[in-house]
Structures are given as C-alpha cells and as structure tokens.
Amino acid sequence: MKRVRIGMAGLAHAHAEGYLRLLEQDPRVQLSAVWDEAGEKARRTAQRFQMCWCGNLEELVGQGLDLLFVCTENTRHLKPVLAGAKAGVDILCEKPLGTDLAEMDAMIEACRAGGSRLMTAFPNRYVPEVLRARELVAQGRIGELRAVKASNKGKFPGGFFVQPELSGGGSLMDHVVHVADLMNWFMGGGPQWVCALCGTVLHPELEVDDVSMVHFGYAGGMTVTLDSSWSRSEKYPSDRNLSLELMGTRGTLSVDAAADHNRICSDRADQELWLPFGENKVKRMLEDAVECVLEHRPFSVTGEDGRRAAQVALAAIASAQCGQPVRISE
C-alpha cells in the first residue's frame, strides 16, 4: 500500500503538534520530515515523531514529499508554500491562508504553475452538524436564507497570535475566517461588503484587538453578524465554540459545532470540562486531505477558498480602522 509522505514546515501554530499526533495514527501516512526556524524545537519534534530534521526549507521539500503542511506564523506562509509549489508538492496551509492579498495570489499562482494542489485548513467544514445544515439550506428547508447570527468566540490565545508582525491582526484575523469560509461555502461565493468594530478591551496591554464584531453581506441581501472576540474565560470548558443561527423565510436552523460533548464535573478540576464524542473534525479533515492525495483528486477546500475567507478578515480590519463599511471585489 502506498503511504503518503508528509512533511511539516513550521511548528509555530498551536495545531501543528496535534496534526502530527493524529497523522501518526493513520497507516496510510509516513511522517517524513520537519523544519522550523527554531531548530531545537524542530529537532525535538523530529525525534519524538521519528521524522527527519531538516535545516532549511529546500532540504525539507527535497525529501520526496507527497504532502506539505505549512504551520508557520500567519505572516510567514508565503515562503514555504512557494518552496512546496516549486517542488511540485501538494500543500495544506493553516488558516488564514495569508495576511496579504498579493501574497495569497502568488501562492495560488505558484501552485497552479507547479502542478501542486493547495488546501486551506478549515476543519469546521467537517462538523456533521454543519454539513447537515448546509444540506438543509440547499434543499430550501428553511426557505430563502436571509440572515445568520454567528459566534466564534474563543479564549485568549497568546503566543504569536498577539504579535501583529507575525499574526497580521488580533481576534479579527484569527476568528473571522472560519465563519466567513462557512458562509461563502453556503452561499457559493464571497460577500460584497464588510463592516466591523473592534477594540483592545480585555487585555489593554495588547497591540491587537481582542474584542470584535463583524457584519457582512452577500448579493441578494443575505447578511451575517459575527462575534469574533477572544472573550471566553480561562475557566470556559472549551477553547472556542462556533455557532450559527440560520434564519430563512420559512424557518430558523441552529447549529452548535461543539454540541457533541459530555459535561464532566470533577473534584480534580476547578472547572467544568467538556469531553467531545463523535467525529473529530480535525481528524476528518486530515483523512480527507490524505485521501485526496492518494486518489489524485482535487482538495475539498482550496487555496481560493482560503483567499476568499481571508479577504473578509482583511476587509473587517480595514473597516474597523476607517470606521466605514468596506466593499469587496473578487
């Protein structure tokens, strides 16, 4: 059986190690090589997962990889994506795909020219409740979709996420893209305008926003209101909880992406815990990416999808800065 040889470019993102833990359980996968600018961290990771440690990107993409994961800081995705594209390797890039439209265009074009497929990491597309909601909306079960009230609030992330030169922004950059991607997926295209407000309220020492509200609208009048703040308490039992209230002309449909969990109240913990059950959305995303490589078919979530969602976040940041709605053009 052919095994998909996987390399990891960057370990900065919080999901990087989790990806490796899930991938090492897949018999179709061979964890091949890892690189990170922090060499000691990369060496430890290589040893732990029995991977080859590479001293630079060129060495990494020269390992005969089938799939490259890009988990660098948000503003540093371009270089590893271009290196993978030049080597003809398929790529799964963390969200946001980028923090600059021109750079994202360069990624997409380089992959197209090099024959590489580019996927953006949007695991919420693999949540069963989200998949079912999209089916019901497409079937017209709630009539014409007119408005969505969404929440993607999370805990304070720390790390590079609060360093604007590495993250590209605060809560707006971090949390808007997930909901924007789902709504673009539901609607079959991106919004026409974005209006946002944000502030540095809960952590006044930050240089980025930690509280944010976004409003964006599509052709035909469908609008989305999103709370994308880092406002969950450290005692909240989940890092984040994406929810959608979909309002149509014939009914309303509510979606909770974290609904499948058991509540645990333990004397050993000082907070309530949620123990998820059912499908693991990240595991399913990784399995789908591996299947696409093995079956030589297009990725389910593309680089273009990533660009379209990131464009909403960038427009939200621009709107918050200028105090006016921002128009979006494809």
Side-chain angles (χ1 to χ4, degrees):
M1 178 182 69
K2 174 179 170 55
R3 299 176 72 191
V4 176
R5 291 174 56 85
I6 290 179
M8 178 74 73
L11 297 165
H13 201 284
H15 293 161
E17 188 170 319
Y19 289 160
L20 292 173
R21 287 198 303 268
L22 288 170
L23 288 164
E24 72 174 344
Q25 301 171 26
D26 192 330
R28 304 167 302 170
V29 164
Q30 178 183 341
L31 294 179
S32 178
V34 60
W35 163 85
D36 187 85
E37 287 187 347
E40 184 56 36
K41 183 177 183 179
R43 281 191 288 269
R44 291 196 304 268
T45 301
Q47 183 177 19
R48 177 177 178 182
F49 292 98
Q50 299 182 326
M51 303 169 76
C52 172
W53 170 72
C54 297
N56 54 60
L57 272 173
E58 290 69 27
E59 183 182 356
L60 174 65
V61 299
Q63 296 296 312
L65 304 177
D66 299 302
L67 181 59
L68 176 67
F69 281 71
V70 175
C71 292
T72 57
E73 298 88 344
N74 295 347
T75 59
R76 295 177 174 174
H77 289 171
L78 177 63
K79 189 175 178 180
V81 169
L82 294 184
K86 184 177 180 180
V89 179
D90 290 332
I91 301 163
L92 192 157
C93 184
E94 252 303 337
K95 68 81 196 169
L97 180 64
T99 59
D100 179 271
L101 291 177
E103 288 191 357
M104 288 186 281
D105 288 338
M107 295 180 203
I108 292 167
E109 179 54 36
C111 288
R112 185 180 296 117
S116 299
R117 289 168 292 183
L118 177 60
M119 179 174 179
T120 310
F122 283 133
N124 288 299
R125 288 207 190 192
Y126 297 87
V127 175
E129 290 81 0
V130 171
L131 288 164
R132 181 57 177 156
R134 183 170 180 264
E135 290 176 0
L136 293 173
V137 170
Q139 293 167 4
R141 297 288 293 274
I142 62 170
E144 183 182 356
L145 185 61
R146 301 302 299 160
V148 177
K149 179 183 177 183
S151 172
N152 191 27
K153 295 184 288 186
K155 295 181 181 179
F156 176 68
F160 81 82
F161 292 97
V162 301
Q163 301 175 54
E165 70 278 10
L166 298 177
S167 64
S171 61
L172 284 171
M173 181 60 74
D174 189 26
H175 282 181
V176 168
V177 290
H178 283 295
V179 171
D181 175 65
L182 291 182
M183 293 298 93
N184 293 344
W185 191 37
F186 276 46
M187 298 299 295
Q192 296 182 326
W193 56 266
V194 180
C195 185
L197 293 172
C198 70
T200 307
V201 178
L202 303 176
H203 303 86
E205 72 280 5
L206 297 182
E207 298 180 44
V208 295
D209 55 279
D210 59 5
V211 173
S212 52
M213 291 291 296
V214 188
H215 196 50
F216 51 101
Y218 293 81
M222 202 286 281
T223 59
V224 180
T225 300
L226 166 65
D227 184 344
S228 50
S229 304
W230 290 335
S231 56
R232 292 297 190 194
S233 163
E234 281 302 313
K235 300 299 183 182
Y236 192 73
S238 176
D239 285 342
R240 69 175 65 183
N241 183 16
L242 188 149
S243 63
L244 306 171
E245 187 174 358
L246 303 144
M247 290 162 272
T249 54
R250 292 175 50 201
T252 300
L253 181 62
S254 295
V255 179
D256 183 349
D260 292 343
H261 67 262
N262 292 312
R263 297 173 60 191
I264 308 297
C265 297
S266 169
D267 291 339
R268 298 180 181 180
D270 62 355
Q271 67 184 88
E272 179 183 292
L273 305 175
W274 288 358
L275 181 64
F277 61 86
E279 292 192 40
N280 181 319
K281 63 182 182 181
V282 175
K283 182 172 182 288
R284 186 67 196 98
M285 179 186 72
L286 299 179
E287 290 173 343
D288 184 42
V290 169
E291 288 163 9
C292 288
V293 172
L294 287 171
E295 298 170 8
H296 304 286
R297 59 181 171 85
F299 284 130
S300 304
V301 191
T302 66
E304 288 81 1
D305 293 328
R307 182 195 187 279
R308 193 175 292 116
Q311 188 175 20
V312 179
L314 291 170
I317 293 170
S319 172
Q321 290 174 343
C322 72
Q324 298 290 329
V326 170
R327 301 289 300 182
I328 289 183
S329 58
E330 288 291 336

